[in-house]
């Protein structure tokens, strides 16, 4: 009796094409192309208003209304800058200084308070901690526009309306910054490091300023930048609590120039557009300056 060896290969059928498995590399390239197209569209959408603003700031009044809005027509940028800096005895520079005061000092103090509060909520056990954190999370869900009128009534009772304190005090308290600081502390500051510092005899203030703040550089830079941009672009709060032109912010001053055409018939559109272009320069510089802190934080996380 002869045993024949069975083969495992399946016979090929004529007219039937065997399906090939898709190449994972080709699928990855397709996803990369889709992501690249999406990033390009998002970049164009984000940079389009900036491009229009740059083009508009280089035109005189006639070209601003009669030429193509997306391309240059003459070069009058230096004349527009001179008019912005000299109009109304150079009050634009005063508004710029006020914006730097409110956004810079307020954001710096608010960042320090937020980091300390977030660190305390993340690394200290005390009664009511969860309730306090729940109140923090619930409070940053309330829009700032709803708090403008209560803040005005409070500052009016304290005699702080039309003073820098009416802008600085709200900047010092930012629940969302506290939330970010708490989350970053939990991911960055280990309990073992704090216990080792306490065993070595370091006090809580020394631990916070010498160890915690240095390890939270990336989180602190993020909190500061978000607070700076939020305060720099604030409108409803300064509109409510600031009355005199000497205390106005850039946004409030440019808004006043926009309404001048309706009140006195003087067209200041060119000055408004040039001033708006100048107002975004500090935020761009701030973004570039903060990059090294984020790069340092990423490198630190990789070394860990």
């Amino acid at each position: 009796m002869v045993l024949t060896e069975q083969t495992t290969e399946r016979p090929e059928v004529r007219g039937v094409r065997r399906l090939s498995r898709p190449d994972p590399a080709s699928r990855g390239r397709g996803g990369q192309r889709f992501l690249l197209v999406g990033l390009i569209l998002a970049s164009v959408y984000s940079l389009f208003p900036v491009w229009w603003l740059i083009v508009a700031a280089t035109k005189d009044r006639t070209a601003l209304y009669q030429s193509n809005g997306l391309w240059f027509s003459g070069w009058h940028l230096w004349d527009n800058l001179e008019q912005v800096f000299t109009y109304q005895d150079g009050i634009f520079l005063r508004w710029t200084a006020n914006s730097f005061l409110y956004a810079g000092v307020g954001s710096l103090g608010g960042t320090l308070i937020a980091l300390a509060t977030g660190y305390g909520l993340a690394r200290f056990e005390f009664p009511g901690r969860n309730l306090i954190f729940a109140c923090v999370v619930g409070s940053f869900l309330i829009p700032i526009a709803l708090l403008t009128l209560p803040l005005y009534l409070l500052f009016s009772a304290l005699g702080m309306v039309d003073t820098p304190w009416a802008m600085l005090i709200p900047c010092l308290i930012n629940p969302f910054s506290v939330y970010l600081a708490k989350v970053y502390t939990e991911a960055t500051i280990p309990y073992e490091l704090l216990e080792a510092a306490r065993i070595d005899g370091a006090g809580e203030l020394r631990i916070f300023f010498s160890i915690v703040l240095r390890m939270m550089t990336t989180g602190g830079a993020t909190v500061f930048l978000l607070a700076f941009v939020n305060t720099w672009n604030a409108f409803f709060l300064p509109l409510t609590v600031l009355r005199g032109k000497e205390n106005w912010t850039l946004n409030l001053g440019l808004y006043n120039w926009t309404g001048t055409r309706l009140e006195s018939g003087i067209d200041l559109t060119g000055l408004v557009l040039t001033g708006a272009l100048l107002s975004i320069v500090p935020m761009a510089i701030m973004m570039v300056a903060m990059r090294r802190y984020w790069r340092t934080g990423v490198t630190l996380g990789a070394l860990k």
Side-chain angles (χ1 to χ4, degrees):
M1 185 175 183
V2 181
L3 296 177
T4 60
E5 185 178 352
Q6 296 181 354
T7 60
T8 58
E9 296 181 358
R10 298 179 60 182
E12 294 185 0
V13 182
R14 294 182 178 178
V16 179
R17 180 177 298 178
R18 183 176 299 178
L19 298 177
S20 59
R21 182 176 299 178
D23 187 9
S26 63
R27 289 187 298 178
R29 287 192 295 269
Q32 291 177 359
R33 294 192 189 97
F34 179 78
L35 180 60
L36 181 60
V37 172
L39 290 176
I40 292 175
L41 293 177
S43 300
V44 172
Y45 177 79
S46 302
L47 296 177
F48 180 81
V50 180
W51 170 256
W52 177 84
L53 190 60
I54 294 175
V55 172
T58 62
K59 299 180 180 181
D60 58 2
R61 186 181 306 175
T62 303
L64 188 62
Y65 292 104
Q66 298 181 1
S67 63
N68 185 4
L70 299 179
W71 197 247
F72 300 95
S73 177
W75 187 263
H76 303 275
L77 178 61
W78 309 122
D79 296 334
N80 294 336
L81 290 176
E82 182 180 359
Q83 293 178 12
V84 167
F85 291 136
T86 58
Y87 186 72
Q88 292 182 346
D89 297 329
I91 197 170
F92 181 85
L93 296 176
R94 179 62 181 269
W95 294 340
T96 304
N98 292 337
S99 295
F100 273 112
L101 173 65
Y102 305 147
V105 177
S107 300
L108 185 62
T111 300
L112 183 61
I113 294 175
L115 293 179
T117 307
Y119 167 68
L121 290 174
R123 290 294 178 257
F124 287 93
E125 296 287 344
F126 55 90
R129 186 182 70 165
N130 294 332
L131 178 60
I132 294 176
F133 182 67
C135 293
V136 170
V137 174
S139 60
F140 73 71
L141 298 177
I142 303 175
I144 188 62
L146 297 180
L147 301 177
T148 303
L149 182 58
L151 287 175
Y152 172 78
L153 296 177
L154 177 61
F155 291 141
S156 179
L158 297 175
M160 294 183 178
V161 174
D162 201 23
T163 64
W165 293 109
M167 285 293 299
L168 291 175
I169 292 178
C171 296
L172 298 177
I173 310 299
N174 193 332
F176 184 68
S177 298
V178 174
Y179 172 77
L180 290 180
K182 179 181 182 299
V183 173
Y184 192 81
T185 301
E186 293 174 344
T188 308
I189 310 298
Y191 282 104
E192 295 79 9
L193 179 62
L194 301 178
E195 292 299 329
R198 295 187 181 104
I199 292 175
D200 291 339
E204 296 299 335
L205 290 178
R206 183 178 180 183
I207 292 174
F208 176 72
F209 286 102
S210 301
I211 300 176
V212 175
L213 284 184
R214 293 185 179 183
M215 297 184 65
M216 296 179 65
T217 303
T218 304
T222 304
V223 170
F224 175 80
L225 182 61
L226 293 177
F228 185 90
V229 173
N230 185 37
T231 306
W232 187 272
N233 293 330
F235 179 75
F236 286 107
L237 182 61
L239 179 65
T240 305
V241 300
L242 300 178
R243 297 176 181 175
K245 292 184 178 181
E246 294 77 11
N247 295 324
W248 284 357
T249 61
L250 269 178
N251 288 339
L252 194 56
L254 295 177
Y255 172 76
N256 178 261
W257 281 358
T258 304
T260 303
R261 182 178 181 181
L262 300 177
E263 297 176 359
S264 59
I266 302 176
D267 189 2
L268 300 178
T269 304
L271 298 184
V272 173
L273 294 177
T274 307
L277 178 62
L278 293 175
S279 68
I280 66 176
V281 173
M283 289 188 290
I285 296 175
M286 189 69 63
M287 182 69 68
V288 174
M290 289 294 177
R291 282 197 313 171
R292 67 186 187 94
Y293 293 102
W294 292 319
R295 188 183 301 113
T296 302
V298 172
T299 306
L300 180 63
L303 292 176
K304 288 183 179 180

